[in-house]
Amino acid sequence: MGLLDWFRGSPPIVDRNSLADFMDTRAAFLVQKGIFDYVRGRSGPYFSFIINEAEFKASLEESRWKSYPHSLSVLTELVHSILVPRTGHPAALAAALCDVALDVFDRYPVPVPLDAEYWAQARKDLAVRCGQIALHAPKTPQDIPVPFAKIFFDNMPIHERLREHDFDQIKNQLRVNVLSMHHDFLKYADLAKVSASLNLPAKSAV
């Protein structure tokens, strides 16, 4: 994932390539920050020990890769909600952003914790979810990740008995982080240039 790029600053988002990079880095960050913040809070002073255990590292890798395609769906819908008023073509925009999301997904070979069949199905599911974005009115940024919260919750590398009362905490953390990414996109994106780079139909003057 593109998490390390997050710490190198945020370059301007002006075309399809820089849009893909933004979606990749923020999707990775959404997953990994969520996992580390939750595990750190749950384990307290034992975090430094847990993070170095081989069993936890394996669970962490599985968790982050299982959640990444869903996080990428969140970023795709977030960008769609920002650009659709400018473009005026919800379905065409969703299709174009779906292509970007799939290109980002294809940057990564099958992750070690998963198998090829699982990863291929994850790609198909991502395409379906992205294709459904235009079927409803744009959501507020903080509401976009809500349908995915249970998936992130179930994928956390903490035993289910220890996290059974923490769903709202994880959901609210997702909402706060996505709202922050919404602000980032508005800060760093040239909306006119990004929209033009997606080769959408001309917006109706009516």
Side-chain angles (χ1 to χ4, degrees):
M1 305 178 194
L3 177 66
L4 292 179
D5 294 331
W6 172 278
F7 300 104
R8 296 170 185 156
S10 296
I13 307 165
V14 296
D15 55 22
R16 193 180 187 279
N17 289 336
S18 52
L19 172 62
D21 289 342
F22 174 87
M23 291 168 60
D24 185 15
T25 55
R26 269 49 177 193
F29 185 82
L30 186 63
V31 170
Q32 296 180 190
K33 180 173 173 56
I35 292 173
F36 277 97
D37 283 355
Y38 175 67
V39 173
R40 184 181 291 108
R42 212 58 181 89
S43 58
Y46 300 102
F47 177 75
S48 60
F49 297 99
I50 292 175
I51 200 67
N52 290 311
E53 291 182 351
E55 184 177 354
F56 175 77
K57 288 181 178 179
S59 296
L60 171 63
E61 282 299 289
E62 181 176 355
S63 173
R64 63 198 286 263
W65 284 113
K66 281 186 173 180
S67 293
Y68 178 73
H70 301 282
S71 186
L72 193 52
S73 297
V74 171
L75 266 295
T76 305
E77 185 169 352
L78 176 66
V79 174
H80 185 275
S81 71
I82 295 171
L83 295 183
V84 73
R86 171 174 289 276
T87 65
H89 293 282
L93 176 60
L97 293 176
C98 183
D99 287 342
V100 176
L102 293 175
D103 284 348
V104 170
F105 184 94
D106 291 340
R107 292 177 174 183
Y108 303 103
V110 179
V112 172
L114 309 177
D115 57 40
E117 182 178 358
Y118 183 99
W119 200 235
Q121 186 61 50
R123 190 184 193 280
K124 292 178 183 178
D125 293 343
L126 171 62
V128 170
R129 290 192 300 270
C130 292
Q132 294 172 341
I133 289 174
L135 299 181
H136 56 77
K139 300 176 185 176
T140 59
Q142 60 268 33
D143 288 337
I144 290 173
V146 171
F148 300 92
K150 184 62 164 58
I151 295 171
F152 281 78
F153 173 76
D154 289 342
N155 286 340
M156 282 292 174
I158 293 289
H159 195 281
E160 59 185 352
R161 285 182 297 178
L162 297 177
R163 56 176 161 82
E164 60 181 343
H165 301 300
D166 297 337
F167 173 73
D168 285 342
Q169 174 188 338
I170 291 169
K171 179 182 68 175
N172 291 334
Q173 181 186 51
L174 284 170
R175 300 183 78 187
V176 169
N177 287 335
V178 171
L179 185 59
S180 176
M181 292 172 188
H182 177 266
H183 292 323
D184 279 349
F185 191 77
L186 292 178
K187 179 179 180 180
Y188 295 110
D190 184 319
L191 300 185
K193 289 182 178 179
V194 173
S195 299
S197 73
L198 297 175
N199 297 318
L200 302 172
K203 184 177 181 180
S204 172
V206 178

